[in-house]
Amino acid sequence: MSLLIAINGWDHRPWVERFRAAMPDRAVFEAQSAFDPASIRYAAVWKPEPGLLARLPNLKAIFNLGAGVDALLADKTLPDVPLCRIVNPDLTARMSEFVALNALMHLRQVNYYRACQQEKSWAPRDQPAAGDVRIGIMGMGVLGRDAAEVLLRLGFRVSGWSRSGFTMAGVAAYAGTEALPAFLNQTDILVVLLPLTDQTRGILNRALLSQLARDGALGGSILINAGRGGLQNEADILACLADGTLHAASLDVFETEPLSAASPLWTHERVILTPHVAADSTPHALVRAVVENIAGFERDGTLKDVVDRRLGY
Ligand code: NDP
Ligand code: OXD
């Protein structure tokens, strides 16, 4: 009943240490070292080398160590065993911090006041209230719903858009492609917490951004994308910033990561940029939950947070 840890892009060592401490009775291998493929029953992974999991003949389940499974599902050799993702209060709280922080930075005109500070210019501007600002969240899943609660508590007017619809007190609900224009038309700050799928790839393009409200209290529309870089068209975002279609943006994810040093996004005065850190996965918060999921599976065959592969998220 061995576990294989296959992690790329993060330091795998703290994960291996935590899993070994949490599962003292079984062998925990790291993909970087030698292991017998036939001995592996479970794999805990983040962006594993494509084809690796297909080489494990006795694999029973895969545990993705992040919330988004797009990178994993891009591996067409992925074995047809249950695939679980991270749904965890620690990761969710981190994302809501990120969304609230960025919404507040735009509300409180941080780009403008940072520029004033550099010029030693004492130049206060009118300050809209949160209640004057309409935030629309694309993706009302685990992360979108929690962010909505935090934004409501801060006083923003909140709406959400999802594929199949949802009900949440205080949040106007929009569902499906037909409802997208109406949702966008009443949104000042667009928060994107969608998964990357065949349906959502490239959705944040000029055609969509030009439907956002531009008559709001912040003097233009604002994009906050912490979903995936593949959702956005960066050339369109830059062009929309240049011609006023977009007033400002906060971007945590990019079409290609790491973002090229040549990208004009790095130095754009109205872009707040972070290197895919909106909601980190941390071993101390997540390993215990994966171990408990494995224990439940061995006890009665049940698994939590299983991905619907047909939907792609
Ligand atoms: P969930 O699966 O819980 O929620 C996804 C939401 O997106 C659901 O509301 C779903 O609709 C909606 N959705 C999916 N496809 C469509 C579509 N075609 N049209 C409209 N709505 C759609 O995911 P999470 O909330 O847990 O995570 C969301 C994403 O956040 C992850 O997939 C990942 O890409 C990203 N992420 C980024 C991180 C970062 O650090 N930047 C960290 C963690 C996650 P419905 O409710 O109808 O199913
Ligand atoms: C995730 C991420 O999907 O960190 O969890 O991007």
Side-chain angles (χ1 to χ4, degrees), residues 133-194:
V133 174
R134 299 160 296 180
I135 299 191
I137 305 177
M138 290 179 91
M140 287 297 288
V142 175
L143 302 182
R145 285 196 305 273
D146 194 73
E149 268 176 32
V150 173
L151 294 171
L152 280 177
R153 178 71 193 84
L154 289 170
F156 289 102
R157 288 151 65 185
V158 184
S159 62
W161 181 74
S162 71
R163 188 182 51 79
S164 61
F166 64 94
T167 312
M168 188 171 165
V171 180
Y174 296 80
T177 320
E178 325 72 58
L180 191 52
F183 164 76
L184 296 168
N185 290 171
Q186 54 83 62
T187 292
D188 301 314
I189 300 182
L190 182 66
V191 171
V192 184
L193 293 172
L194 285 169

Side-chain angles (χ1 to χ4, degrees), residues 46 66-68 91 228 276 279:
W46 181 248
L91 187 144
R228 278 289 182 269
H276 200 142

